Amino acid sequence: MATEIGFIGVGNMGGPMVANLLAGGYAVRVYDPNKAAVDDCVAKGASTASSPKDLADQVETVLVCLPTPQIVQAVALGENGLSKGSKVKTYIDLSTTGPQTSVPVAEGLKEAGIVALDAPVSGGVIGAVSGSLAVMVSGPHNDFGHHRPMLEKIGKNVFYVGDKIGMGQMMKLLNNLLSGTALAVTAEAVTLGVKAGLDPKLMIDIFNASSGRNTATETKFPNSVLTRKFDGGFGSALMFKDVRLCLEEAEAQGITMFVGNATRQAWSFALNQGEAGEDSTQIIEHYENLAGVEWPEDKS
Ligand code: NAD
């Protein structure tokens, strides 16, 4: 019989991860207040639970992939949270919440006899769909070893970062500081180039053949900005959250980050200018508005 696991938060990232776990031979029981997202998982073979506690009464291992630290806290430790469940033994957090959330959550769960692993992921919706995410795990090594085969169903690159909870989260915040900086500065550079009369597609081709190449020039611009589809699948609110959490860690540790602070301001600007729920690739629209730059017609 297939091992049954639980999954909470089946949005842009969690939904495709559930599909890969089902395809990998696991039975998956899901909880999410968004009915459409749950229905999608059920259509692929998942079963459901009525609350985090209900899920934790039925399975030993629960993965979560949730949007904010506050929601992670409530799902893990709140009323009807996982910690109130009778069967759950292991909690694996795939969300990006930062050490300041994952450490106290792990301590709260420990009091309820539940082991926590940090396992934030990188690779975007494309990586979640193809099962090729990078997974950055920290927590007790034995528990990591036990759950590694399951994590390999969602990520081709599963890294063990260390035995202290929070280390995986720290690693992920550093990654997203780099990714957020690359996207913001690429949007700035392309806006300047367009104002100076350069062709955006040609600029991206040249960056990608040159030393300005980065994750924004390689995937986000070709797929979502040049096409003006803005469908990268990673919201500006999530990007701002991750950069903010990283800068808070830097401040807590007395580390000065000049560029990091500029990146935080860029994402704060995008968030304040943009519509709720907008994609992070839309940051370029705010630079264009600021500079009075019109995106050129596609002549290809
Ligand atoms: P999302 O908003 O698409 O999905 C989050 C899901 O959580 C939604 O389905 C929502 O209904 C559900 N949810 C909200 N409140 C809940 C609650 N109280 N109980 C249960 N479910 C609840 O977000 P996402 O893009 O899938 O991101 C999830 C996490 O993964 C975030 O921490 C994000 O930073 C991280 N992440 C995202 C990406 C990406 O490219 N989207 C990449 C790497 C990491």
Side-chain angles (χ1 to χ4, degrees):
M1 229 171 79
T3 307
E4 189 178 42
I5 55 174
F7 204 109
I8 301 183
V10 291
N12 285 339
M13 296 294 286
M17 289 189 214
V18 166
N20 283 324
L21 289 163
L22 288 164
Y26 288 86
V28 188
R29 190 173 287 278
V30 302
Y31 170 73
D32 191 306
N34 180 342
K35 187 176 174 317
V38 169
D39 288 348
D40 229 41
C41 294
V42 170
K44 295 187 177 105
S47 53
T48 64
S50 60
S51 69
K53 177 188 178 304
D54 180 39
L55 191 63
D57 281 336
Q58 301 186 62
V59 298
E60 290 190 355
T61 303
V62 178
L63 298 97
V64 307
C65 188
L66 295 162
T68 68
Q70 292 77 8
I71 291 175
V72 166
Q73 196 118 22
V75 162
L77 303 175
E79 197 186 333
N80 269 326
L82 289 171
S83 62
K84 312 291 186 298
S86 56
K87 191 166 177 186
V88 62
K89 288 188 180 145
T90 311
Y91 155 94
I92 302 178
D93 187 5
L94 306 160
S95 337
T96 308
T97 50
Q100 282 172 36
T101 298
S102 74
V103 172
V105 164
E107 281 165 3
L109 291 171
K110 195 175 175 189
E111 281 172 25
I114 301 162
V115 172
L117 290 174
D118 270 344
V121 298
S122 181
V125 174
I126 295 174
V129 170
S130 62
S132 62
L133 294 167
V135 190
M136 306 159 211
V137 190
S138 66
H141 191 263
N142 279 351
D143 295 277
F144 163 66
H146 181 69
H147 292 289
R148 183 178 187 133
M150 178 183 69
L151 294 172
E152 282 172 347
K153 301 293 179 203
I154 60 173
K156 282 211 178 80
N157 294 298
V158 177
F159 296 97
Y160 184 64
V161 181
D163 60 354
K164 266 196 357 224
I165 278 287
M167 292 171 86
Q169 287 292 342
M170 191 65 238
M171 185 63 230
K172 167 67 184 174
L173 295 185
L174 296 174
N175 179 75
N176 277 27
L177 177 68
L178 299 193
S179 153
T181 303
L183 181 51
V185 80
T186 303
E188 288 181 6
V190 170
T191 303
L192 170 58
V194 167
K195 187 145 192 175
L198 292 170
D199 176 71
K201 178 170 183 319
L202 186 59
M203 269 191 273
I204 294 298
D205 288 346
I206 294 172
F207 290 141
N208 285 334
S210 312
S211 52
R213 186 173 64 248
N214 62 62
T215 52
T217 63
E218 283 181 330
T219 53
K220 291 168 192 152
F221 268 67
N223 296 341
S224 301
V225 178
L226 295 180
T227 59
R228 305 302 273 185
K229 286 186 184 160
F230 301 119
D231 58 352
F234 187 61
S236 290
L238 293 180
M239 185 70 93
F240 176 67
K241 169 199 60 139
D242 294 354
V243 173
R244 174 181 62 78
L245 289 170
C246 187
L247 270 287
E248 284 173 8
E249 286 299 325
E251 278 152 20
Q253 308 237 11
I255 300 291
T256 304
M257 286 193 161
F258 298 108
V259 178
N261 269 299
T263 300
R264 171 161 59 181
Q265 281 180 333
W267 287 105
S268 167
F269 160 69
L271 203 59
N272 293 334
Q273 297 293 307
E275 307 270 320
E278 79 173 24
D279 197 78
S280 54
T281 55
Q282 283 175 267
I283 190 172
I284 194 166
E285 293 187 311
H286 307 308
Y287 283 119
E288 288 162 3
N289 290 340
L290 199 63
V293 164
E294 295 249 338
W295 190 256
E297 264 177 50
D298 185 2
K299 300 198 186 77
S300 61

